Short mmCIF file of all heavy atoms in Angstrom, two decimals:
data_model
loop_
_atom_site.label_atom_id
_atom_site.label_comp_id
_atom_site.label_asym_id
_atom_site.label_seq_id
_atom_site.Cartn_x
_atom_site.Cartn_y
_atom_site.Cartn_z
N ALA A 1 0.15 10.03 14.56
CA ALA A 1 0.10 9.02 13.50
C ALA A 1 1.51 8.51 13.19
O ALA A 1 1.71 7.30 12.99
CB ALA A 1 -0.56 9.59 12.24
N ALA A 2 2.48 9.39 13.17
CA ALA A 2 3.87 8.99 12.91
C ALA A 2 4.40 8.12 14.05
O ALA A 2 5.09 7.12 13.80
CB ALA A 2 4.74 10.23 12.73
N ARG A 3 4.09 8.47 15.29
CA ARG A 3 4.54 7.66 16.43
C ARG A 3 3.91 6.27 16.39
O ARG A 3 4.58 5.27 16.68
CB ARG A 3 4.24 8.37 17.75
CG ARG A 3 5.09 9.61 17.97
CD ARG A 3 4.99 10.18 19.37
NE ARG A 3 3.67 10.62 19.78
CZ ARG A 3 3.12 11.81 19.48
NH1 ARG A 3 3.78 12.68 18.73
NH2 ARG A 3 1.92 12.12 19.95
N LEU A 4 2.64 6.20 16.01
CA LEU A 4 1.98 4.90 15.88
C LEU A 4 2.61 4.06 14.77
O LEU A 4 2.78 2.85 14.92
CB LEU A 4 0.49 5.08 15.60
CG LEU A 4 -0.41 5.29 16.81
CD1 LEU A 4 -1.79 5.72 16.37
CD2 LEU A 4 -0.47 4.04 17.66
N SER A 5 2.95 4.71 13.69
CA SER A 5 3.60 4.00 12.58
C SER A 5 4.93 3.41 13.04
O SER A 5 5.25 2.25 12.72
CB SER A 5 3.80 4.96 11.40
OG SER A 5 4.39 4.29 10.32
N GLU A 6 5.70 4.17 13.79
CA GLU A 6 6.97 3.66 14.33
C GLU A 6 6.74 2.48 15.27
O GLU A 6 7.48 1.50 15.24
CB GLU A 6 7.72 4.77 15.07
CG GLU A 6 8.36 5.79 14.16
CD GLU A 6 9.45 5.17 13.28
OE1 GLU A 6 10.29 4.41 13.80
OE2 GLU A 6 9.45 5.45 12.07
N TYR A 7 5.71 2.58 16.09
CA TYR A 7 5.38 1.49 16.99
C TYR A 7 5.07 0.22 16.21
O TYR A 7 5.57 -0.86 16.52
CB TYR A 7 4.18 1.88 17.88
CG TYR A 7 3.63 0.72 18.67
CD1 TYR A 7 4.28 0.26 19.81
CD2 TYR A 7 2.47 0.07 18.27
CE1 TYR A 7 3.79 -0.81 20.53
CE2 TYR A 7 1.97 -1.01 18.98
CZ TYR A 7 2.63 -1.44 20.11
OH TYR A 7 2.14 -2.51 20.82
N LYS A 8 4.26 0.35 15.16
CA LYS A 8 3.89 -0.83 14.35
C LYS A 8 5.11 -1.41 13.64
O LYS A 8 5.23 -2.63 13.51
CB LYS A 8 2.79 -0.47 13.35
CG LYS A 8 1.48 -0.04 14.00
CD LYS A 8 0.53 -1.19 14.16
CE LYS A 8 -0.77 -0.74 14.82
NZ LYS A 8 -1.95 -1.23 14.19
N LEU A 9 6.01 -0.55 13.18
CA LEU A 9 7.25 -1.04 12.57
C LEU A 9 8.08 -1.82 13.59
O LEU A 9 8.72 -2.81 13.24
CB LEU A 9 8.06 0.11 11.98
CG LEU A 9 7.56 0.69 10.67
CD1 LEU A 9 8.37 1.93 10.29
CD2 LEU A 9 7.61 -0.34 9.56
N GLY A 10 8.06 -1.35 14.83
CA GLY A 10 8.76 -2.06 15.90
C GLY A 10 8.20 -3.45 16.13
O GLY A 10 8.95 -4.40 16.40
N LEU A 11 6.88 -3.59 16.01
CA LEU A 11 6.27 -4.92 16.14
C LEU A 11 6.76 -5.84 15.04
O LEU A 11 7.06 -7.01 15.28
CB LEU A 11 4.74 -4.80 16.08
CG LEU A 11 4.04 -4.06 17.21
CD1 LEU A 11 2.54 -3.97 16.94
CD2 LEU A 11 4.31 -4.73 18.55
N LYS A 12 6.83 -5.31 13.83
CA LYS A 12 7.32 -6.10 12.70
C LYS A 12 8.76 -6.54 12.95
O LYS A 12 9.12 -7.70 12.72
CB LYS A 12 7.25 -5.26 11.42
CG LYS A 12 7.79 -5.94 10.20
CD LYS A 12 7.75 -5.01 8.99
CE LYS A 12 8.43 -5.63 7.80
NZ LYS A 12 8.56 -4.71 6.68
N GLY A 13 9.58 -5.63 13.45
CA GLY A 13 10.97 -5.95 13.74
C GLY A 13 11.12 -7.05 14.78
O GLY A 13 12.01 -7.91 14.67
N LYS A 14 10.24 -7.06 15.78
CA LYS A 14 10.29 -8.11 16.81
C LYS A 14 10.03 -9.48 16.20
O LYS A 14 10.70 -10.46 16.55
CB LYS A 14 9.27 -7.83 17.91
CG LYS A 14 9.66 -6.69 18.82
CD LYS A 14 8.60 -6.45 19.88
CE LYS A 14 8.97 -5.28 20.75
NZ LYS A 14 7.94 -5.00 21.77
N ILE A 15 9.08 -9.57 15.29
CA ILE A 15 8.76 -10.86 14.66
C ILE A 15 9.89 -11.29 13.73
O ILE A 15 10.27 -12.47 13.69
CB ILE A 15 7.43 -10.79 13.90
CG1 ILE A 15 6.28 -10.56 14.89
CG2 ILE A 15 7.18 -12.04 13.07
CD1 ILE A 15 6.13 -11.65 15.94
N GLU A 16 10.46 -10.34 12.99
CA GLU A 16 11.59 -10.68 12.11
C GLU A 16 12.76 -11.20 12.92
O GLU A 16 13.41 -12.17 12.54
CB GLU A 16 11.99 -9.46 11.28
CG GLU A 16 10.95 -9.12 10.21
CD GLU A 16 11.20 -7.79 9.53
OE1 GLU A 16 12.04 -6.98 10.02
OE2 GLU A 16 10.54 -7.54 8.50
N LYS A 17 13.04 -10.57 14.07
CA LYS A 17 14.12 -11.02 14.95
C LYS A 17 13.81 -12.42 15.49
O LYS A 17 14.69 -13.29 15.54
CB LYS A 17 14.32 -10.04 16.09
CG LYS A 17 15.44 -10.43 17.03
CD LYS A 17 15.59 -9.44 18.17
CE LYS A 17 16.69 -9.93 19.08
NZ LYS A 17 16.54 -9.51 20.45
N ALA A 18 12.56 -12.64 15.90
CA ALA A 18 12.17 -13.95 16.42
C ALA A 18 12.36 -15.04 15.37
O ALA A 18 12.84 -16.14 15.68
CB ALA A 18 10.72 -13.92 16.90
N ASN A 19 12.01 -14.75 14.12
CA ASN A 19 12.18 -15.74 13.06
C ASN A 19 13.65 -16.02 12.79
O ASN A 19 14.03 -17.16 12.51
CB ASN A 19 11.46 -15.31 11.78
CG ASN A 19 10.01 -15.75 11.78
OD1 ASN A 19 9.69 -16.81 12.27
ND2 ASN A 19 9.15 -14.93 11.24
N ALA A 20 14.48 -15.00 12.87
CA ALA A 20 15.92 -15.22 12.69
C ALA A 20 16.46 -16.12 13.80
O ALA A 20 17.28 -17.02 13.55
CB ALA A 20 16.66 -13.89 12.67
N GLU A 21 16.00 -15.92 15.02
CA GLU A 21 16.42 -16.76 16.14
C GLU A 21 15.90 -18.19 15.98
O GLU A 21 16.61 -19.15 16.27
CB GLU A 21 15.96 -16.15 17.46
CG GLU A 21 16.69 -14.85 17.80
CD GLU A 21 16.07 -14.11 18.98
OE1 GLU A 21 15.02 -14.54 19.50
OE2 GLU A 21 16.64 -13.07 19.36
N LEU A 22 14.66 -18.32 15.51
CA LEU A 22 14.10 -19.66 15.29
C LEU A 22 14.85 -20.41 14.19
O LEU A 22 14.95 -21.64 14.23
CB LEU A 22 12.62 -19.57 14.93
CG LEU A 22 11.67 -19.23 16.09
CD1 LEU A 22 10.27 -18.96 15.57
CD2 LEU A 22 11.67 -20.35 17.13
N ALA A 23 15.37 -19.69 13.23
CA ALA A 23 16.13 -20.33 12.14
C ALA A 23 17.39 -21.01 12.69
O ALA A 23 17.88 -21.97 12.10
CB ALA A 23 16.51 -19.30 11.07
N GLU A 24 17.88 -20.53 13.82
CA GLU A 24 19.08 -21.09 14.42
C GLU A 24 18.78 -22.30 15.30
O GLU A 24 19.69 -23.02 15.71
CB GLU A 24 19.81 -20.02 15.25
CG GLU A 24 20.28 -18.84 14.42
CD GLU A 24 21.24 -19.24 13.32
OE1 GLU A 24 22.15 -20.06 13.57
OE2 GLU A 24 21.05 -18.77 12.18
N VAL A 25 17.53 -22.54 15.62
CA VAL A 25 17.15 -23.70 16.44
C VAL A 25 17.17 -24.94 15.54
O VAL A 25 16.54 -24.96 14.48
CB VAL A 25 15.73 -23.50 17.05
CG1 VAL A 25 15.30 -24.75 17.80
CG2 VAL A 25 15.71 -22.28 17.96
#
């Protein structure tokens, strides 16, 4: 359950990073 939680947090981080990159476009 803890490993899955980390995985899901990683998904959130990918989207946050993508939005930061899109802000620069």
Side-chain angles (χ1 to χ4, degrees):
R3 291 191 299 278
L4 276 169
S5 181
E6 285 296 314
Y7 170 77
K8 297 266 180 135
L9 284 173
L11 294 176
K12 177 183 173 187
K14 287 180 182 178
I15 295 300
E16 290 170 347
K17 181 181 178 208
N19 273 324
E21 291 170 355
L22 286 171
E24 298 301 316
V25 176

